[in-house]
Structures are given as C-alpha cells and as structure tokens.
C-alpha cells in the first residue's frame, strides 16, 4: 500500500466516508509499482477472458495453435472467473448460466472444428450482450458497497473495475494518477460542508474512465556526424519515406508557442488518442518501431533517434509533459534488493566450490538476458529476452520439453514461500503506515534484518488473541492495513483456508505461465501480440524470474545444495512436502514448527 495514505489524510480533506477511504487506498495499491504481485491488479475478468478465448479459438481453427493446451487452460481459468463473478450473478443470471454450461464443454480433439465453431459463436453472442453493460454494473455495485462501507464487496468490485480499465487502455500509472488527482486535487475544504459530495464525484469519476485524450508527441532526432552516416537531409528523407513526420523547433512553436524545445533541432511528431500520457507514450514507441524496422535492418539509424525522453502535449495544452524511458518500464520496483540479498548473490558468484559452477553459469546467463531486456526500448524485445532468461535457467534436461521444465516447477517455487511473502509484506505495510509494534505485549521490531524470525514472530502474534487485538488497534490508522490484518488472521487461524489459499495461487500461476508461453510463441512464430497487455505481462515475467533467483540464491547461501540441476527439484519437493502435510492431524500452530517454517 502507498506510504502516506493513512485515514487522517482523508479526514483532513473532509472525506469521512470509510468506504471511499478504503476504495482509494485499495485502488492506489492495485496500481502502485512497488505493490507485490499478490495485491496488484489482475488483468483477466469475464469480459477480458471472453475476448481471450475467442482469440484462442480463432488461432486454433486457423492452425496457429496445434494443440488444445491454450484452449483448455483458458477455458478452465475463465470457468473459475465466471463462477465467482458477482456482477453476472446479480445482473445477468441467464448469461451466467449459459457461460457456465459452455465453459464446461469438453473438446476431445483439435480436429473437432464443429464444436469449436459452436463455442465461438456462443461466446461472441454472449460477449456482445454483456460487454456494453458490464462496467456500468460494476460502477453501480461499487458505489453501493462504498455507501454501506462493505469492505469485502469494495475489494471485489474495485479489482473488477481495475481489470476493465487496463482492458480499455489505461496504464497502471494513468489509473493511479486518475484517482489520486480526482480525490485530492479536485477537492477543496469547505467549512460549511461536513463531507464532500460522493455522488457528484462518482459521476465525474465514471465519466473520466471512458474519456480518450488527444496527444501531440515529439521525439528528438540527434545527428552523429560519422563517416558512414547519412547526412541530416538524407536521414530526414529516410524518415519521411517511412511515413514519419519530422518537424523543426520553429514549426513546433507555431502550435505550442510556450514550449521549451532546443533551437535548430528536429523532432519526430505523431498524434494519437489515449486514456493517459503513459499509454500515449507506449503507443508512440510501438508506432515508431513499426516504421523504422527496415531502417534498422539496413543499419541506417546509427542511434539517431533519441528515445530517452518523450515530449507530450495533452488536448492542446501549452504545458509540456516529459516522459522518460525508464518511467515507462519500472517492473523491478518491487524487487527485494536489500543489502543481504545482494551480498548473498555476490557471495554465490565468488564461491570457489566446483559444485556451484553450473549455478554460477546459469545465473550469469539470467542476468545477461535480464539486462538486455532492461536496456531494450520495445516491449516484444523486453518480453522475449526475459523469457529466454527464464527458459535457460530452468532447463535441466529432467523433462521432455522446454515448457514442461517451467510449468512443472515454477508454480511450486513461486508458491513455496507464499505465506511468508504475505506476512513479510504486512510488516512492510505497517512501516509504510508508520505503525510500530515496539509496545507492551508485542515488542516486535518490524525493521529487523532477520526476516524469517520476524515472520515467525508476526505469525505467532497474529494467532494470539491478546496480541492480535493490540495489533488490530494499532492498524486502525489505515483501513486497508486493518483489512489486510483481518485477511491474514483468517488465513493463519484456519489450516484448511491456508491450504486453499496456496492451492488457488498455484493454479493461478500455472494458468499465467501457459498464457506467457502462448505470448512467447506468438512473438517468435507470428509476431502477433495483444499490445494492450504486454507491459503487464512483462512485469509478471520479471516477478517470477525474481522469485526464482531469490530462492536459488537462498539455497546456495545456506550451503544446502549448490548445483542448479539439484536445486530446482529440491525447491519443488520442498513445496510438495509442505502441501502433503495432513492438516487434519496438524495442530493450529503447525506453521511455527521448525520444519514447516523453513518451507515458508
């Protein structure tokens, strides 16, 4: 959750509605770059899933996909999403029941075209019926939940709305700024009013979600006067032949007179509509990429397009917006780069033990490709290099094909310390909310460098009734923080709920890996891609890679196992052992037992 978003911030703006406070806190957390993946927005909802399965059916019918793997994974995931879609249940029960029926249909062979065609027609019809109304239903039910301070419903509807925003072209940065500006910059304290007008603000919010803004964008051209380079005039001609508009500083100032562009400089100009200026910037990068590929192939560019900064003007506003390249891609903002993690990595690199050489070589390959991805401008290049890093690291020869090395092992590794990750993040959230546990009955140092010991203490404290009540009181300064505490308490108090939480996360990761593999194949084999979502998928891929490396480094630093070919099976086995614990015979405190906490 965001630092500085405690309840007092809202009270000082005369925002006293607990529901709206929780909504803004959760919305900003969903889209913040430093939020761990478990609490970030989820792309797929019923609408997005229907678009996705229709795309998969089309590509299965035209021969792009030669197995039913993608169709089956998407159908199973969409079935779970629809089952739990309260919007369909409450507003469109007929469509809900028909979707459940169709999604349960089994296609026995990829050659069974009539069944696939029937499903395609059914899904297309149902999508046309529900999509125009779906977001309005969400907005209505979300407002009702806010008015009744129903935090669980606010949580569910906010996540659905977030998915719709990404689907319609908002970027995480843009969606985050929309709500921050709407609920803070547009509200002024009026001493004659006890509260702000929620209905008026909600109408403004609802209207803002569907507005496309017009953007004028510019990227500077720099000329390198080298022997083999084309002259400036020749280069401009090449740009124009590629259908790229080139303007001088003087020409730009005719339209934007207050702009501060460098004199005697030329810029590539492009106009587009987008939900926010980050989305516009991504569209510009993709547009230029589509135009200059032939120039790059024949080595005609010589790094003469300065893509480090994009200059934008929104809706003919005279104020220039500057977007740096690194602002567009901040996937590693949540990465644990503490001194201990870094030092452990350096120690693994410098270890002279012969048994660790294979792991060191694998890590070098991962870091090389991850760095290539980081330095790339274009999203397809970023994605494919991260996938190569993951694929090369996990290929041990222990499975029949490359994807099985990832699908069979990675979900287990990402889930192995899932509860640990949630509890540790709770400690970080407390710090962000300026909540301290250095009080009577607790005396827990949330900033302790001994993270595993900290997690163990927090689990024990949350499970203890007296300590839990004390923590609950301390967390009341932030509605979302207290909500998160209640969630953790419910998970940790019930062994069955804990198991189900991990199993659900394991299944979600498995579906997502299948999706990422499909995207990898589309880039590699047909260069086709849903560009709306690729930046989010890059973030997911980076997250999985970071978790994987972290787990391998931990095992090596503890000298448990040193060879990568043995570490990966060990990590999977560790997860399997944890999941095979008989929870019916286990005590309520089984998480705190040494063998179990080590699995976490």
């Amino acid at each position: 959750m965001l630092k500085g978003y405690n309840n007092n911030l809202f009270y000082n703006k005369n925002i006293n509605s607990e529901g709206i406070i929780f909504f803004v806190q959760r919305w900003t957390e969903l889209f913040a770059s430093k939020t761990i993946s478990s609490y970030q927005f989820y792309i797929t909802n019923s609408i997005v899933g229907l678009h996705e399965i229709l795309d998969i059916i089309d590509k299965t019918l035209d021969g792009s996909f030669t197995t039913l793997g993608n169709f089956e994974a998407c159908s199973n995931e969409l079935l779970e999403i629809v089952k739990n879609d309260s919007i369909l249940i409450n507003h469109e029960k007929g469509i809900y029941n028909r979707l459940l029926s169709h999604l349960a249909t089994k296609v026995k062979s990829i050659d069974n075209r009539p069944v696939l065609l029937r499903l395609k027609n059914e899904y297309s019809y149902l999508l046309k019926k529900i999509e125009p109304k779906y977001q309005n239903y969400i907005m209505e039910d979300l407002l009702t939940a806010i008015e009744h301070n129903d935090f669980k419903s606010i949580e569910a509807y906010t996540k659905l709305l977030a998915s719709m925003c990404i689907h319609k072209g908002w970027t995480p940065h843009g969606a985050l700024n929309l709500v921050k500006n709407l609920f803070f910059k547009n509200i002024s304290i009026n001493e004659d009013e006890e509260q702000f007008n929620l209905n008026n603000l909600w109408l403004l919010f609802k209207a803002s979600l569907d507005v496309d803004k017009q953007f004028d964008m510019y990227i500077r051209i720099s000329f390198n006067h080298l022997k083999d380079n084309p002259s400036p005039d020749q280069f401009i001609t090449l740009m124009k032949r590629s259908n790229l508009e080139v303007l001088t500083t003087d020409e730009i100032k005719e339209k934007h007179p207050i702009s501060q562009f460098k004199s005697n400089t030329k810029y590539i100009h492009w106009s587009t509509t987008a939900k926010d200026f980050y989305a516009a910037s991504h569209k510009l990068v993709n547009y230029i990429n589509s135009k200059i590929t032939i120039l790059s192939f024949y080595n005609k560019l010589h790094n003469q397009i300065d893509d480090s900064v994009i200059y934008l003007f929104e809706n003919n506003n005279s104020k220039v917006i500057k977007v740096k390249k690194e602002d567009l891609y901040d996937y590693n903002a949540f990465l644990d780069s503490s001194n201990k993690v870094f030092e452990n990595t350096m120690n693994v690199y410098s270890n002279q033990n012969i048994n660790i050489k294979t792991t060191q070589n694998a890590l070098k390959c991962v870091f090389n490709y991850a760095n290539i991805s980081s330095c790339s401008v274009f999203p397809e290049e970023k994605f494919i290099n991260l996938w190569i890093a993951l694929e090369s690291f996990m290929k041990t020869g222990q499975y029949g094909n490359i994807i099985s090395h990832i699908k069979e092992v990675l979900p287990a590794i990402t889930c192995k310390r899932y509860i640990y990750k949630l509890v540790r993040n709770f400690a970080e959230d407390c710090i962000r909310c300026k909540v301290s546990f250095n009080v009577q009955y607790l005396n827990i140092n949330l900033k302790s460098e001994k993270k595993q010991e900290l997690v163990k203490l927090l689990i024990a404290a949350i499970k203890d009734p007296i300590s839990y009540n004390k923590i609950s009181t301390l967390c009341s300064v932030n509605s979302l923080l207290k909500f998160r505490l209640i969630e953790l308490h419910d998970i940790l108090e019930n062994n069955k709920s804990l198991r189900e939480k991990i199993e659900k996360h394991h299944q979600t990761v498995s579906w997502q890996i299948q999706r990422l593999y499909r995207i990898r194949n589309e880039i590699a084999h047909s260069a086709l891609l849903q560009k709306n979502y690729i930046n989010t998928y890059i973030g997911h891929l980076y997250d999985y890679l970071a978790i994987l490396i972290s787990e391998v480094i931990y095992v090596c630093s503890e000298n448990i196992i040193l060879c990568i070919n043995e570490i990966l099976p060990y990590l999977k086995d560790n997860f399997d052992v944890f999941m095979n614990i008989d929870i019916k015979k286990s005590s309520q405190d089984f998480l705190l037992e040494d063998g179990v906490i080590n699995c976490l």
Side-chain angles (χ1 to χ4, degrees):
M1 57 193 67
L2 261 62
K3 184 178 180 180
Y5 272 63
N6 284 356
N7 293 3
N8 279 339
L9 176 69
F10 298 85
Y11 299 152
N12 292 336
K13 284 282 188 179
N14 283 350
I15 303 176
N16 298 310
S17 163
E18 295 298 320
I20 203 67
I21 291 172
F22 181 78
F23 164 72
V24 174
Q25 289 171 339
R26 186 65 181 106
W27 180 276
T28 52
E29 181 186 49
L30 280 168
F31 292 112
S33 58
K34 291 187 177 181
T35 299
I36 63 171
S37 57
S38 301
Y39 298 134
Q40 283 187 340
F41 66 91
Y42 189 54
I43 289 178
T44 308
N45 58 29
S46 296
I47 300 301
V48 177
L50 283 169
H51 279 285
E52 184 176 29
I53 201 167
L54 283 168
D55 180 62
I56 289 172
I57 290 174
D58 282 338
K59 288 172 180 172
T60 303
L61 289 170
D62 71 16
S64 298
F65 298 149
T66 57
T67 71
L68 289 172
N70 292 312
F71 172 79
E72 290 170 348
C74 187
S75 296
N76 292 335
E77 183 180 16
L78 185 53
L79 179 60
E80 279 302 305
I81 290 171
V82 171
K83 278 181 182 178
N84 297 290
D85 191 334
S86 55
I87 296 297
L88 294 179
I89 294 170
N90 295 335
H91 297 278
E92 297 285 352
K93 199 62 181 286
I95 291 177
Y96 171 79
N97 289 329
R98 288 179 67 176
L99 279 173
L100 290 182
S101 175
H102 295 317
L103 288 166
T105 301
K106 300 296 181 184
V107 180
K108 296 181 180 180
S109 168
I110 197 169
D111 298 321
N112 200 341
R113 294 177 62 87
V115 175
L116 289 172
L117 284 169
R118 281 201 301 272
L119 288 174
K120 175 185 175 180
N121 291 331
E122 284 287 349
Y123 291 146
S124 295
Y125 170 74
L126 294 174
L127 181 61
K128 288 175 184 176
K129 291 279 287 183
I130 186 60
E131 185 169 20
K133 300 178 282 187
Y134 193 78
Q135 184 168 304
N136 285 334
Y137 287 149
I138 296 173
M139 295 296 289
E140 291 171 11
D141 290 356
L142 178 54
L143 179 58
T144 300
I146 288 172
E147 290 173 335
H148 290 85
N149 298 327
D150 182 353
F151 286 5
K152 283 192 175 181
S153 294
I154 294 172
E155 159 84 359
Y157 294 132
T158 301
K159 290 197 292 187
L160 284 175
L161 185 59
S163 297
M164 289 305 297
C165 286
I166 297 299
H167 173 62
K168 290 192 171 185
W170 285 92
T171 63
H173 284 299
L176 174 65
N177 290 335
L178 171 67
V179 166
K180 286 171 68 174
N181 293 337
L182 189 66
F183 285 88
F184 293 114
K185 287 188 177 180
N186 290 343
I187 295 177
S188 58
I189 297 177
N190 187 340
E191 294 181 358
D192 296 330
E193 296 182 8
E194 293 183 357
Q195 292 184 341
F196 72 104
N197 190 313
L198 174 58
N199 289 326
N200 288 344
L201 194 63
W202 201 252
L203 288 173
L204 180 60
F205 177 46
K206 186 177 179 180
S208 299
L209 290 175
D210 291 323
V211 172
D212 282 316
K213 304 178 185 69
Q214 180 72 35
F215 292 94
D216 275 332
M217 295 176 287
Y218 303 89
I219 287 186
R220 186 170 64 89
I221 301 173
S222 58
F223 296 103
N224 300 318
H225 299 285
L226 301 177
K227 182 179 178 181
D228 296 330
N229 280 10
S231 69
D233 289 341
Q234 289 173 324
F235 187 75
I236 297 302
T237 300
L238 288 174
M239 293 288 98
K240 291 180 177 178
R241 288 178 65 188
S242 301
N243 292 320
L244 289 169
E245 183 182 10
V246 179
L247 299 178
T248 64
T249 304
D250 291 337
E251 289 172 323
I252 295 172
K253 286 187 175 181
E254 289 178 9
K255 189 171 185 180
H256 308 288
I258 308 177
S259 59
Q260 299 176 347
F261 285 86
K262 290 185 177 180
S263 301
N264 302 318
T265 308
K266 290 183 171 61
Y267 295 83
I268 294 174
H269 168 252
W270 190 57
S271 296
T272 191
T273 58
K275 298 296 183 187
D276 59 79
F277 60 81
Y278 290 102
S281 298
H282 282 297
K283 289 175 75 171
L284 175 63
V285 169
N286 289 327
Y287 176 77
I288 291 179
N289 183 31
S290 69
K291 297 297 182 182
I292 66 173
T293 49
I294 188 170
L295 302 182
S296 297
F297 184 83
Y298 287 104
N299 201 28
K300 297 292 185 181
L301 286 180
H302 299 280
N303 297 318
Q304 294 184 108
I305 297 178
D306 182 5
D307 54 18
S308 60
V309 180
I310 297 172
Y311 303 88
L312 303 95
F313 294 90
E314 178 183 322
N315 291 338
N316 293 319
N317 193 313
S318 60
K319 183 179 179 181
V320 65
I321 303 168
K322 295 181 181 180
V323 177
K324 296 180 180 179
K325 181 170 65 175
E326 55 266 28
D327 294 335
L328 296 177
Y329 309 105
D330 54 358
Y331 311 118
N332 60 347
F334 55 82
L335 184 64
D336 184 356
S337 56
S338 62
N339 286 335
K340 184 176 180 180
V341 174
F342 174 73
E343 288 301 325
N344 284 343
T345 305
M346 295 303 291
N347 290 336
V348 168
Y349 253 63
S350 60
N351 194 322
Q352 297 299 311
N353 191 317
I354 188 67
N355 295 321
I356 205 173
K357 291 299 180 184
T358 55
T359 303
Q360 290 171 336
N361 290 336
L363 286 169
K364 288 176 182 176
C365 184
V366 165
F367 293 142
N368 282 340
Y369 278 104
N371 188 50
I372 293 172
S373 172
S374 178
C375 294
S376 303
V377 177
F378 304 116
E380 294 90 341
E381 193 176 356
K382 284 181 172 293
F383 183 96
I384 207 71
N385 279 296
L386 280 178
W387 183 270
I388 292 171
L390 181 66
E391 195 175 273
S392 64
F393 195 62
M394 299 199 71
K395 187 178 178 182
T396 61
Q398 298 171 21
Y399 294 90
N401 53 58
I402 292 174
I403 186 57
S404 292
H405 284 82
I406 300 173
K407 289 172 63 176
E408 296 295 328
V409 180
L410 188 58
I413 293 177
T414 59
C415 294
K416 174 180 173 289
R417 294 162 73 84
Y418 182 58
I419 300 301
Y420 169 92
K421 185 178 179 181
L422 296 183
V423 177
R424 181 176 170 186
N425 183 74
F426 174 71
E428 298 295 332
D429 280 340
C430 288
I431 294 170
R432 282 187 277 270
C433 295
K434 296 185 178 180
V435 172
S436 172
F437 289 177
N438 290 324
V439 295
Q440 191 177 7
Y441 301 120
L442 289 177
N443 197 27
I444 298 174
N445 179 13
L446 295 173
K447 296 181 180 180
S448 171
E449 290 295 319
K450 298 178 180 179
K451 301 302 181 184
Q452 185 157 302
E453 183 63 27
L454 171 60
V455 168
K456 191 172 182 178
L457 288 172
L458 281 173
I459 291 174
I462 292 171
K463 290 171 68 65
D464 177 74
I466 296 176
S467 298
Y468 173 72
N469 289 333
K470 189 70 176 177
I471 294 172
S472 181
T473 301
L474 293 169
C475 291
S476 297
V477 298
N478 185 295
S479 297
L480 179 57
L481 184 65
K482 187 170 182 178
F483 180 80
R484 198 58 37 76
L485 171 66
I486 295 170
E487 279 188 327
L488 278 177
H489 180 263
D490 291 346
I491 294 169
L492 297 174
E493 273 294 283
N494 188 317
N495 292 345
K496 184 180 179 182
S497 295
L498 184 145
R499 169 74 63 81
E500 290 173 350
K501 184 79 172 177
I502 298 174
E503 287 175 343
K504 183 179 179 181
H505 185 63
H506 186 279
Q507 182 61 76
T508 299
V509 174
S510 298
W511 284 330
Q512 187 67 345
I513 289 171
Q514 180 66 38
R515 179 177 288 110
L516 296 176
Y517 182 58
R518 187 179 80 238
I519 293 170
R520 174 262 184 202
N521 287 339
E522 289 188 5
I523 295 174
H525 301 308
S526 56
L528 297 174
L529 198 57
Q530 292 176 309
K531 291 186 183 292
N532 273 4
Y533 306 131
I534 185 170
N535 293 304
T536 301
Y537 292 144
I538 292 169
H540 293 169
L541 196 51
Y542 198 104
D543 186 30
Y544 296 149
L545 190 61
I547 292 171
L548 175 63
I549 293 171
S550 176
E551 291 299 322
V552 170
I553 293 295
Y554 174 79
V555 172
C556 287
S557 64
E558 294 293 317
N559 289 314
I560 300 171
I561 305 174
L562 298 178
C563 177
I564 187 67
N565 292 344
E566 297 173 0
I567 292 173
L568 297 180
Y570 166 80
L571 290 170
K572 182 178 184 303
D573 289 346
N574 218 341
F575 173 77
D576 292 341
V577 167
F578 174 75
M579 295 303 291
N580 287 330
I581 294 174
D582 190 343
I583 58 172
K584 293 181 180 179
K585 296 181 180 179
S586 300
S587 69
Q588 284 298 312
D589 292 328
F590 88 104
L591 277 178
L592 301 176
E593 297 170 8
D594 285 342
V596 178
I597 196 70
N598 289 339
C599 285
L600 292 178

